[in-house]
Protein backbone atom coordinates (compact mmCIF):
# COMPACT_ATOMS: atom_id res chain seq x y z
CA UNK A 1 0.00 0.00 0.00
CA UNK A 2 1.33 3.43 -0.89
CA UNK A 3 2.16 5.62 2.08
CA UNK A 4 2.25 9.28 1.09
CA UNK A 5 4.89 11.83 2.20
CA UNK A 6 2.28 13.85 4.09
CA UNK A 7 -1.30 13.87 5.35
CA UNK A 8 -3.45 16.44 7.12
CA UNK A 9 -3.68 14.22 10.19
CA UNK A 10 -1.67 11.18 11.35
CA UNK A 11 -3.25 8.99 14.02
CA UNK A 12 -1.09 6.59 16.03
CA UNK A 13 -3.18 3.56 17.03
CA UNK A 14 -6.30 1.95 15.54
CA UNK A 15 -8.14 1.21 18.80
CA UNK A 16 -11.54 2.79 19.47
CA UNK A 17 -9.96 6.20 20.14
CA UNK A 18 -7.96 6.21 16.89
CA UNK A 19 -10.71 4.87 14.65
CA UNK A 20 -13.26 7.28 16.10
CA UNK A 21 -10.93 10.25 15.56
CA UNK A 22 -10.19 9.00 12.04
CA UNK A 23 -13.84 8.58 11.09
CA UNK A 24 -14.84 12.04 12.28
CA UNK A 25 -11.76 13.71 10.72
CA UNK A 26 -12.55 12.02 7.38
CA UNK A 27 -16.21 13.05 7.61
CA UNK A 28 -15.01 16.63 8.16
CA UNK A 29 -13.06 16.45 4.90
CA UNK A 30 -9.54 15.91 6.26
CA UNK A 31 -6.93 13.63 4.69
CA UNK A 32 -6.22 11.19 7.51
CA UNK A 33 -4.07 8.09 7.99
CA UNK A 34 -4.00 5.68 10.97
CA UNK A 35 -0.90 3.57 11.68
CA UNK A 36 -1.19 0.57 13.98
CA UNK A 37 1.76 -1.54 15.06
CA UNK A 38 -0.20 -4.79 15.21
CA UNK A 39 -0.73 -7.20 12.31
CA UNK A 40 -4.42 -7.28 13.07
CA UNK A 41 -6.57 -4.43 14.36
CA UNK A 42 -8.23 -5.41 17.66
CA UNK A 43 -5.82 -8.24 18.45
CA UNK A 44 -4.53 -9.08 20.95
CA UNK A 45 -7.65 -8.15 22.89
CA UNK A 46 -7.02 -6.56 26.26
CA UNK A 47 -10.55 -6.08 27.48
CA UNK A 48 -13.46 -7.55 29.44
CA UNK A 49 -15.53 -6.50 26.40
CA UNK A 50 -18.43 -5.03 28.38
CA UNK A 51 -20.44 -2.08 27.09
CA UNK A 52 -23.81 -0.75 28.26
CA UNK A 53 -26.81 0.08 26.09
CA UNK A 54 -26.71 3.56 27.58
CA UNK A 55 -23.16 4.06 26.32
CA UNK A 56 -24.04 2.78 22.84
CA UNK A 57 -27.02 5.15 22.77
CA UNK A 58 -24.90 8.08 23.89
CA UNK A 59 -22.39 7.24 21.13
CA UNK A 60 -25.17 6.81 18.57
CA UNK A 61 -23.62 3.45 17.62
CA UNK A 62 -25.78 0.83 15.97
CA UNK A 63 -23.46 -2.15 16.16
CA UNK A 64 -23.98 -5.22 13.98
CA UNK A 65 -24.80 -8.62 15.50
CA UNK A 66 -21.34 -9.97 14.64
CA UNK A 67 -19.80 -7.62 17.26
CA UNK A 68 -21.96 -9.05 20.06
CA UNK A 69 -21.12 -12.17 22.08
CA UNK A 70 -23.85 -12.00 24.73
CA UNK A 71 -26.69 -9.74 25.86
CA UNK A 72 -26.47 -8.83 29.55
CA UNK A 73 -29.38 -7.98 31.85
CA UNK A 74 -27.52 -6.78 34.92
CA UNK A 75 -25.01 -7.76 37.56
CA UNK A 76 -24.52 -9.42 40.92
CA UNK A 77 -21.96 -7.69 43.14
CA UNK A 78 -20.67 -9.76 46.06
CA UNK A 79 -19.25 -8.29 49.27
CA UNK A 80 -16.26 -10.05 50.89
CA UNK A 81 -18.60 -12.00 53.20
CA UNK A 82 -20.59 -13.23 50.18
CA UNK A 83 -23.57 -10.90 50.65
CA UNK A 84 -24.93 -10.00 47.23
CA UNK A 85 -26.41 -6.87 45.71
CA UNK A 86 -28.40 -7.41 42.54
CA UNK A 87 -27.99 -4.59 40.04
CA UNK A 88 -30.70 -4.99 37.47
CA UNK A 89 -32.65 -2.22 35.83
CA UNK A 90 -32.78 -0.55 32.43
CA UNK A 91 -29.47 1.29 32.90
CA UNK A 92 -27.48 -1.88 33.59
CA UNK A 93 -28.37 -3.74 30.42
CA UNK A 94 -25.70 -4.11 27.79
CA UNK A 95 -23.52 -6.46 25.81
CA UNK A 96 -20.35 -8.41 26.14
CA UNK A 97 -18.75 -7.67 22.78
CA UNK A 98 -16.48 -9.60 20.46
CA UNK A 99 -13.89 -6.87 20.87
CA UNK A 100 -11.65 -8.02 18.01
CA UNK A 101 -14.60 -7.87 15.63
CA UNK A 102 -15.86 -4.62 17.16
CA UNK A 103 -12.51 -2.81 16.77
CA UNK A 104 -12.32 -3.95 13.17
CA UNK A 105 -15.89 -2.83 12.54
CA UNK A 106 -15.02 0.64 13.91
CA UNK A 107 -12.11 0.72 11.46
CA UNK A 108 -14.40 -0.36 8.61
CA UNK A 109 -16.57 2.68 9.41
CA UNK A 110 -13.55 4.98 9.43
CA UNK A 111 -12.26 3.53 6.14
CA UNK A 112 -15.71 3.88 4.56
CA UNK A 113 -15.65 7.55 5.51
CA UNK A 114 -12.36 8.01 3.68
CA UNK A 115 -9.68 7.42 6.33
CA UNK A 116 -6.71 5.21 5.45
CA UNK A 117 -5.80 2.56 8.02
CA UNK A 118 -2.45 0.83 7.77
CA UNK A 119 -1.65 -2.00 10.17
CA UNK A 120 1.71 -3.66 10.91
CA UNK A 121 3.31 -0.22 10.84
CA UNK A 122 4.69 0.89 14.22
CA UNK A 123 5.35 4.56 14.82
CA UNK A 124 8.84 4.71 16.30
CA UNK A 125 9.37 8.43 16.74
CA UNK A 126 7.98 11.92 16.27
CA UNK A 127 9.26 14.61 13.94
CA UNK A 128 9.71 17.75 16.04
CA UNK A 129 10.51 21.08 14.39
CA UNK A 130 10.40 24.62 15.79
CA UNK A 131 8.49 23.51 18.90
CA UNK A 132 5.82 21.74 16.86
CA UNK A 133 5.10 18.07 16.19
CA UNK A 134 5.31 17.86 12.41
CA UNK A 135 4.87 14.14 11.74
CA UNK A 136 6.06 10.68 12.65
CA UNK A 137 8.74 8.13 11.84
CA UNK A 138 7.31 4.74 10.93
CA UNK A 139 8.82 1.31 10.50
CA UNK A 140 7.75 -0.11 7.15
CA UNK A 141 8.92 -3.74 7.14
CA UNK A 142 12.25 -2.77 8.73
CA UNK A 143 12.69 0.46 6.75
CA UNK A 144 12.37 3.84 8.51
CA UNK A 145 10.18 6.39 6.78
CA UNK A 146 9.27 9.94 7.71
CA UNK A 147 5.66 10.99 7.19
CA UNK A 148 4.57 14.59 7.72
CA UNK A 149 1.30 16.05 8.96
CA UNK A 150 -0.19 19.18 10.48
CA UNK A 151 -1.51 17.23 13.48
CA UNK A 152 -0.48 13.95 15.13
CA UNK A 153 -3.04 12.17 17.29
CA UNK A 154 -1.73 10.01 20.17
CA UNK A 155 -4.29 7.19 20.27
CA UNK A 156 -1.67 4.63 21.22
CA UNK A 157 -3.29 3.30 24.37
CA UNK A 158 -2.26 3.06 27.99
CA UNK A 159 1.47 2.67 27.31
CA UNK A 160 1.46 5.76 25.07
CA UNK A 161 4.96 6.78 24.15
CA UNK A 162 3.76 9.38 21.66
CA UNK A 163 2.68 11.88 24.31
CA UNK A 164 5.96 11.33 26.17
CA UNK A 165 8.00 11.86 23.00
CA UNK A 166 6.16 15.15 22.55
CA UNK A 167 7.25 16.11 26.07
CA UNK A 168 3.79 15.74 27.63
CA UNK A 169 3.56 13.83 30.91
CA UNK A 170 0.59 11.50 31.25
CA UNK A 171 0.26 10.81 35.01
CA UNK A 172 0.89 7.08 34.80
CA UNK A 173 2.06 6.35 38.35
CA UNK A 174 1.53 2.75 39.61
CA UNK A 175 -1.26 3.90 41.96
CA UNK A 176 -3.15 5.35 39.01
CA UNK A 177 -2.83 2.33 36.72
CA UNK A 178 -4.42 -1.03 37.59
CA UNK A 179 -2.89 -4.35 36.55
CA UNK A 180 -5.46 -6.35 34.64
CA UNK A 181 -5.31 -10.09 33.99
CA UNK A 182 -8.01 -12.13 32.33
CA UNK A 183 -8.80 -15.55 30.94
CA UNK A 184 -11.40 -16.14 28.27
CA UNK A 185 -12.79 -19.42 29.61
CA UNK A 186 -14.98 -22.14 28.11
CA UNK A 187 -16.76 -25.15 29.57
CA UNK A 188 -17.60 -23.28 32.77
CA UNK A 189 -20.81 -23.03 34.81
CA UNK A 190 -22.09 -19.63 35.82
CA UNK A 191 -24.95 -18.57 38.03
CA UNK A 192 -26.76 -16.88 35.12
CA UNK A 193 -25.13 -16.43 31.70
CA UNK A 194 -26.96 -13.13 31.20
CA UNK A 195 -25.71 -11.51 34.41
CA UNK A 196 -22.19 -10.33 35.03
CA UNK A 197 -20.69 -11.10 38.45
CA UNK A 198 -18.34 -8.88 40.44
CA UNK A 199 -16.47 -10.13 43.51
CA UNK A 200 -15.01 -7.69 46.04
CA UNK A 201 -12.71 -8.22 49.00
CA UNK A 202 -9.09 -7.60 49.85
CA UNK A 203 -8.34 -11.33 49.87
CA UNK A 204 -9.97 -11.80 46.46
CA UNK A 205 -8.44 -8.76 44.77
CA UNK A 206 -6.52 -6.29 46.84
CA UNK A 207 -7.95 -2.83 46.06
CA UNK A 208 -9.83 -4.19 43.06
CA UNK A 209 -12.24 -6.91 42.08
CA UNK A 210 -12.74 -10.07 40.05
CA UNK A 211 -15.26 -10.05 37.19
CA UNK A 212 -17.08 -12.73 35.25
CA UNK A 213 -18.46 -11.37 31.97
CA UNK A 214 -20.44 -14.11 30.18
CA UNK A 215 -19.83 -14.58 26.46
CA UNK A 216 -22.23 -17.52 26.07
CA UNK A 217 -24.00 -20.18 28.12
CA UNK A 218 -20.69 -21.73 29.24
CA UNK A 219 -18.08 -19.16 28.16
CA UNK A 220 -16.92 -15.98 29.88
CA UNK A 221 -14.15 -13.47 30.40
CA UNK A 222 -12.95 -14.11 33.94
CA UNK A 223 -10.63 -11.33 34.99
CA UNK A 224 -9.18 -9.20 37.73
CA UNK A 225 -7.95 -5.65 38.20
CA UNK A 226 -5.77 -4.67 41.15
CA UNK A 227 -3.72 -1.62 41.97
CA UNK A 228 -0.49 -1.47 40.00
CA UNK A 229 1.23 -0.48 43.24
CA UNK A 230 0.37 -3.81 44.90
CA UNK A 231 3.58 -5.82 44.87
CA UNK A 232 2.92 -8.62 47.41
CA UNK A 233 0.90 -10.81 45.06
CA UNK A 234 0.42 -10.60 41.30
CA UNK A 235 -2.96 -10.14 39.59
CA UNK A 236 -2.55 -13.56 37.93
CA UNK A 237 -1.97 -15.23 41.31
CA UNK A 238 -5.12 -13.69 42.78
CA UNK A 239 -7.10 -14.77 39.73
CA UNK A 240 -5.77 -18.33 39.78
CA UNK A 241 -6.64 -18.62 43.48
CA UNK A 242 -10.14 -17.29 42.82
CA UNK A 243 -10.76 -19.72 40.00
CA UNK A 244 -9.40 -22.65 42.01
CA UNK A 245 -11.90 -21.90 44.78
CA UNK A 246 -14.90 -21.75 42.39
CA UNK A 247 -15.60 -25.27 41.06
CA UNK A 248 -17.87 -23.97 38.26
CA UNK A 249 -14.87 -22.07 36.88
CA UNK A 250 -12.10 -24.47 37.91
CA UNK A 251 -13.59 -27.21 35.71
CA UNK A 252 -13.26 -25.01 32.58
CA UNK A 253 -10.62 -24.37 29.92
CA UNK A 254 -8.56 -21.27 29.17
CA UNK A 255 -9.05 -20.25 25.54
CA UNK A 256 -7.20 -16.95 25.67
CA UNK A 257 -5.02 -15.05 28.16
CA UNK A 258 -5.32 -11.27 28.23
CA UNK A 259 -3.06 -9.02 30.27
CA UNK A 260 -3.06 -5.26 30.29
CA UNK A 261 -3.04 -2.07 32.29
CA UNK A 262 -6.04 0.10 33.03
CA UNK A 263 -5.72 3.80 33.86
CA UNK A 264 -7.89 4.43 36.93
CA UNK A 265 -7.17 8.10 37.51
CA UNK A 266 -4.74 10.79 36.51
CA UNK A 267 -7.24 12.65 34.32
CA UNK A 268 -5.29 15.36 32.53
CA UNK A 269 -6.26 19.04 32.50
CA UNK A 270 -4.13 19.50 29.40
CA UNK A 271 -4.04 16.84 26.67
CA UNK A 272 -2.61 18.87 23.79
CA UNK A 273 0.61 20.44 22.54
CA UNK A 274 1.70 22.21 19.37
CA UNK A 275 0.57 19.86 16.58
CA UNK A 276 -0.38 17.02 18.93
CA UNK A 277 -3.49 15.84 20.74
CA UNK A 278 -4.12 12.80 22.97
CA UNK A 279 -7.23 10.60 23.04
CA UNK A 280 -8.42 7.50 24.92
CA UNK A 281 -6.23 5.45 27.26
CA UNK A 282 -3.18 7.43 26.13
CA UNK A 283 -4.52 10.30 28.26
CA UNK A 284 -6.31 8.16 30.91
CA UNK A 285 -9.89 8.70 29.73
CA UNK A 286 -11.36 5.70 31.55
CA UNK A 287 -14.12 5.20 34.13
CA UNK A 288 -11.97 4.66 37.23
CA UNK A 289 -14.49 2.36 38.93
CA UNK A 290 -15.38 -0.20 36.29
CA UNK A 291 -12.43 0.39 33.98
CA UNK A 292 -14.69 0.99 30.97
CA UNK A 293 -12.71 2.93 28.40
CA UNK A 294 -14.29 2.04 25.06
CA UNK A 295 -17.09 4.65 25.19
CA UNK A 296 -14.72 7.28 26.58
CA UNK A 297 -12.22 6.63 23.78
CA UNK A 298 -14.89 6.95 21.08
CA UNK A 299 -16.33 10.15 22.58
CA UNK A 300 -12.88 11.71 22.89
CA UNK A 301 -12.09 10.85 19.27
CA UNK A 302 -15.17 12.70 18.07
CA UNK A 303 -14.33 15.76 20.16
CA UNK A 304 -10.67 15.74 19.15
CA UNK A 305 -11.60 15.69 15.46
CA UNK A 306 -13.76 18.80 15.93
CA UNK A 307 -10.84 20.72 17.42
CA UNK A 308 -8.51 19.43 14.72
CA UNK A 309 -10.93 20.74 12.09
CA UNK A 310 -10.93 24.10 13.87
CA UNK A 311 -7.13 24.21 13.44
CA UNK A 312 -7.48 23.67 9.70
CA UNK A 313 -10.22 26.31 9.46
CA UNK A 314 -7.95 28.80 11.24
CA UNK A 315 -4.74 27.51 9.61
CA UNK A 316 -3.26 27.44 13.10
CA UNK A 317 -2.05 24.14 14.58
CA UNK A 318 -0.90 25.46 17.91
CA UNK A 319 -1.62 24.21 21.40
CA UNK A 320 -3.70 27.32 21.89
CA UNK A 321 -6.26 26.34 19.24
CA UNK A 322 -6.19 22.62 20.11
CA UNK A 323 -6.94 23.57 23.74
CA UNK A 324 -10.57 23.87 22.72
CA UNK A 325 -10.56 20.07 23.01
CA UNK A 326 -9.51 20.25 26.69
CA UNK A 327 -12.43 22.57 27.35
CA UNK A 328 -14.98 20.49 25.45
CA UNK A 329 -13.83 17.18 26.94
CA UNK A 330 -13.81 18.40 30.54
CA UNK A 331 -17.29 19.85 30.08
CA UNK A 332 -18.74 16.71 28.50
CA UNK A 333 -16.84 13.89 30.30
CA UNK A 334 -14.05 15.14 32.56
CA UNK A 335 -16.08 16.52 35.47
CA UNK A 336 -18.15 13.37 35.59
CA UNK A 337 -15.12 11.05 35.41
CA UNK A 338 -13.41 13.07 38.15
CA UNK A 339 -16.34 12.24 40.47
CA UNK A 340 -16.00 8.56 39.54
CA UNK A 341 -12.31 8.76 40.43
CA UNK A 342 -13.17 10.12 43.89
CA UNK A 343 -15.52 7.18 44.50
CA UNK A 344 -12.79 4.77 43.36
CA UNK A 345 -10.28 6.28 45.78
CA UNK A 346 -12.85 5.91 48.53
CA UNK A 347 -13.82 2.32 47.83
CA UNK A 348 -10.26 1.11 47.43
CA UNK A 349 -9.39 2.40 50.89
CA UNK A 350 -12.21 0.47 52.52
CA UNK A 351 -11.63 -2.55 54.69
CA UNK A 352 -13.55 -5.77 54.07
CA UNK A 353 -15.76 -4.88 57.06
CA UNK A 354 -16.58 -1.51 55.48
CA UNK A 355 -17.52 -3.25 52.22
CA UNK A 356 -19.72 -5.76 54.08
CA UNK A 357 -21.49 -2.87 55.84
CA UNK A 358 -22.06 -1.12 52.54
CA UNK A 359 -23.58 -4.25 51.00
CA UNK A 360 -26.15 -4.19 53.84
CA UNK A 361 -27.37 -0.70 53.10
CA UNK A 362 -26.92 -0.15 49.38
CA UNK A 363 -29.17 -1.35 46.60
CA UNK A 364 -28.30 -2.03 42.96
CA UNK A 365 -29.28 1.43 41.82
CA UNK A 366 -26.99 3.05 44.43
CA UNK A 367 -24.05 0.92 43.27
CA UNK A 368 -24.70 1.77 39.65
CA UNK A 369 -24.98 5.48 40.53
CA UNK A 370 -21.66 5.43 42.38
CA UNK A 371 -19.97 3.62 39.49
CA UNK A 372 -21.11 6.50 37.30
CA UNK A 373 -20.04 9.19 39.76
CA UNK A 374 -23.65 10.10 40.62
CA UNK A 375 -25.47 10.56 43.94
CA UNK A 376 -22.21 10.88 45.85
CA UNK A 377 -23.97 12.63 48.77
CA UNK A 378 -25.69 9.34 49.57
CA UNK A 379 -22.30 7.64 49.88
CA UNK A 380 -21.15 10.46 52.15
CA UNK A 381 -24.25 10.10 54.38
CA UNK A 382 -23.83 6.34 54.63
CA UNK A 383 -20.17 6.83 55.44
CA UNK A 384 -21.11 9.20 58.25
CA UNK A 385 -23.81 6.87 59.60
CA UNK A 386 -21.53 3.85 59.62
CA UNK A 387 -18.53 5.86 60.77
CA UNK A 388 -16.47 4.86 57.75
CA UNK A 389 -13.46 6.90 58.71
CA UNK A 390 -12.01 9.07 56.04
CA UNK A 391 -14.66 8.29 53.42
CA UNK A 392 -16.39 11.66 53.50
CA UNK A 393 -13.00 13.37 53.57
CA UNK A 394 -11.86 11.42 50.52
CA UNK A 395 -15.00 12.50 48.71
CA UNK A 396 -14.16 16.09 49.46
CA UNK A 397 -16.73 16.74 52.23
C1 LIG B 1 -8.09 -6.32 31.40
C2 LIG B 1 -8.87 -5.17 30.83
C3 LIG B 1 -10.26 -5.23 30.81
C4 LIG B 1 -11.00 -4.17 30.28
N1 LIG B 1 -12.36 -4.28 30.20
C5 LIG B 1 -13.09 -3.29 29.62
C6 LIG B 1 -14.49 -3.42 29.43
O1 LIG B 1 -15.10 -4.44 29.79
N2 LIG B 1 -15.16 -2.39 28.85
C7 LIG B 1 -14.54 -1.24 28.44
O2 LIG B 1 -15.21 -0.32 27.94
N3 LIG B 1 -13.20 -1.11 28.58
C8 LIG B 1 -12.46 -2.09 29.14
N4 LIG B 1 -11.10 -1.97 29.25
C9 LIG B 1 -10.47 -0.72 28.78
C10 LIG B 1 -10.44 -0.65 27.26
O3 LIG B 1 -9.90 -1.81 26.72
C11 LIG B 1 -9.63 0.59 26.84
O4 LIG B 1 -10.06 1.70 27.59
C12 LIG B 1 -9.77 0.91 25.35
O5 LIG B 1 -9.24 -0.12 24.57
C13 LIG B 1 -9.05 2.22 25.03
O6 LIG B 1 -9.03 2.44 23.64
P1 LIG B 1 -7.81 3.20 22.96
O7 LIG B 1 -8.15 3.29 21.53
O8 LIG B 1 -7.50 4.41 23.72
O9 LIG B 1 -6.56 2.24 23.18
P2 LIG B 1 -6.29 0.77 22.66
O10 LIG B 1 -7.55 0.04 22.46
O11 LIG B 1 -5.31 0.20 23.60
O12 LIG B 1 -5.62 0.98 21.23
C14 LIG B 1 -4.33 1.49 21.12
C15 LIG B 1 -3.79 1.05 19.78
O13 LIG B 1 -2.56 1.73 19.54
C16 LIG B 1 -1.67 0.82 18.91
N5 LIG B 1 -0.31 1.31 19.15
C17 LIG B 1 0.33 1.48 20.34
N6 LIG B 1 1.55 1.98 20.17
C18 LIG B 1 1.71 2.12 18.83
C19 LIG B 1 2.79 2.60 18.02
N7 LIG B 1 3.94 3.04 18.56
N8 LIG B 1 2.63 2.61 16.69
C20 LIG B 1 1.47 2.19 16.12
N9 LIG B 1 0.42 1.72 16.84
C21 LIG B 1 0.54 1.70 18.18
C22 LIG B 1 -1.97 -0.52 19.55
O14 LIG B 1 -1.57 -1.58 18.71
C23 LIG B 1 -3.50 -0.44 19.70
O15 LIG B 1 -4.17 -1.00 18.60
C24 LIG B 1 -10.33 -3.02 29.77
C25 LIG B 1 -8.93 -2.96 29.79
C26 LIG B 1 -8.20 -4.03 30.30
C27 LIG B 1 -6.70 -3.97 30.27
Amino acid sequence: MEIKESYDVIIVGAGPAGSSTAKTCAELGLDVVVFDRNNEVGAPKRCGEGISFNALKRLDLDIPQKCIAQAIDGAYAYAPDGKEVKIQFEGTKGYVLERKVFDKWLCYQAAKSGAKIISKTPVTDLILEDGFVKGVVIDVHGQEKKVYSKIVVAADGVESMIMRKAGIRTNKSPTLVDSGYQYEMAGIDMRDPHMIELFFGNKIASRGYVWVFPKGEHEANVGIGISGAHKEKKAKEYLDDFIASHPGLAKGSIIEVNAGSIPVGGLMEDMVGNGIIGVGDAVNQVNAIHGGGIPEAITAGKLAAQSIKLCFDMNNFSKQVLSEYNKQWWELRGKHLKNVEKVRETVENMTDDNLNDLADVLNGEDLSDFAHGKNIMKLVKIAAKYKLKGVARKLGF
Side-chain angles (χ1 to χ4, degrees):
M1 177 177 288
E2 189 217 352
I3 300 174
K4 296 192 298 185
E5 296 300 314
S6 76
Y7 296 83
D8 291 340
V9 183
I10 293 174
I11 299 175
V12 187
S19 52
S20 163
T21 316
K23 178 172 185 281
T24 314
C25 280
E27 286 168 351
L28 293 170
L30 301 174
D31 183 20
V32 52
V33 67
V34 187
F35 295 117
D36 200 285
R37 67 183 170 192
N38 289 335
N39 292 2
E40 184 182 356
V41 164
K45 129 189 148 193
R46 290 193 293 182
C47 189
E49 307 182 273
I51 195 159
S52 71
F53 291 165
N54 277 350
L56 288 170
K57 202 165 140 200
R58 184 160 48 79
L59 296 169
D60 197 20
L61 267 192
D62 188 11
I63 55 174
Q65 195 60 37
K66 66 180 178 183
C67 297
I68 301 166
Q70 185 79 330
I72 297 297
D73 292 332
Y76 291 109
Y78 302 98
D81 64 2
K83 232 171 287 158
E84 73 181 43
V85 180
K86 190 173 185 182
I87 311 170
Q88 191 176 28
F89 51 95
E90 209 41 48
T92 56
K93 291 183 191 297
Y95 295 126
V96 175
L97 298 167
E98 279 303 344
R99 177 76 197 264
K100 291 173 199 163
V101 182
F102 176 71
D103 278 20
K104 275 194 191 136
W105 178 75
L106 290 175
C107 280
Y108 295 170
Q109 307 309 304
K112 208 161 75 182
S113 300
K116 184 77 87 189
I117 292 125
I118 305 180
S119 52
K120 203 177 191 292
T121 308
V123 171
T124 55
D125 212 345
L126 288 181
I127 302 169
L128 299 165
E129 283 171 14
D130 309 324
F132 274 74
V133 175
K134 290 281 178 77
V136 299
V137 180
I138 54 173
D139 175 342
V140 190
H141 306 291
Q143 297 278 320
E144 271 198 352
K145 180 177 167 78
K146 284 185 175 174
V147 189
Y148 291 84
S149 65
K150 298 290 187 196
I151 300 280
V152 170
V153 180
D156 52 337
V158 64
E159 293 123 10
S160 179
M161 61 108 176
I162 295 300
M163 293 301 272
R164 258 184 290 125
K165 287 216 180 248
I168 302 171
R169 295 173 63 118
T170 56
N171 299 342
K172 296 264 182 358
S173 74
T175 48
L176 295 175
V177 180
D178 271 8
S179 302
Y181 205 85
Q182 177 180 274
Y183 299 128
E184 185 168 330
M185 299 192 73
I188 57 171
D189 289 331
M190 289 169 280
R191 178 172 174 179
D192 178 343
H194 291 282
M195 296 286 279
I196 63 175
E197 293 185 83
L198 307 168
F199 298 83
F200 293 86
N202 284 304
K203 288 203 185 79
I204 292 171
S206 177
R207 297 169 72 198
Y209 62 92
V210 166
W211 62 79
V212 178
F213 282 13
K215 293 194 77 174
E217 294 294 306
H218 295 283
E219 299 82 35
N221 289 323
V222 182
I224 187 170
I226 61 167
S227 167
H230 187 77
K231 296 287 173 231
E232 292 79 19
K233 187 171 168 181
K234 292 197 170 82
K236 178 187 185 302
E237 291 165 348
Y238 276 109
L239 185 61
D240 288 344
D241 287 350
F242 178 86
I243 290 170
S245 64
H246 287 74
L249 301 176
K251 65 184 258 203
S253 301
I254 294 169
I255 303 302
E256 196 173 308
V257 180
N258 316 123
S261 302
I262 310 162
V264 289
L267 297 172
M268 295 165 62
E269 295 291 335
D270 189 3
M271 301 170 285
V272 302
N274 289 328
I276 183 152
I277 184 164
V279 284
D281 276 16
V283 286
N284 312 327
Q285 293 165 333
V286 173
N287 176 308
I289 289 268
H290 57 58
I294 302 169
E296 302 305 336
I298 295 173
T299 303
K302 290 183 186 182
L303 291 177
Q306 300 290 345
S307 293
I308 292 169
K309 177 67 167 64
L310 187 65
C311 290
F312 281 88
D313 290 346
M314 297 172 71
N315 195 27
N316 180 340
F317 306 95
S318 68
K319 176 182 171 67
Q320 199 190 356
V321 179
L322 282 173
S323 293
E324 180 62 18
Y325 165 68
N326 292 329
K327 212 168 94 197
Q328 298 287 337
W329 185 82
W330 272 93
E331 197 53 43
L332 190 68
R333 301 304 301 160
K335 284 185 197 156
H336 158 78
L337 290 179
K338 192 73 197 166
N339 276 341
V340 176
E341 191 183 341
K342 282 185 187 172
V343 177
R344 196 264 306 155
E345 285 173 354
T346 306
V347 174
E348 79 172 22
N349 283 309
M350 286 183 178
T351 62
D352 281 5
D353 286 344
N354 292 159
L355 291 170
N356 292 333
D357 286 346
L358 277 186
D360 277 334
V361 291
L362 296 179
N363 61 34
E365 224 150 314
D366 295 328
L367 284 189
S368 172
D369 275 355
F370 299 155
H372 292 95
K374 293 188 209 151
N375 208 1
I376 291 185
M377 267 323 280
K378 179 157 187 179
L379 187 55
V380 173
K381 282 182 190 154
I382 290 169
K385 188 168 168 196
Y386 287 87
K387 301 190 173 48
L388 300 180
K389 285 190 194 132
V391 170
R393 186 170 35 81
K394 268 272 173 208
L395 290 167
F397 293 91

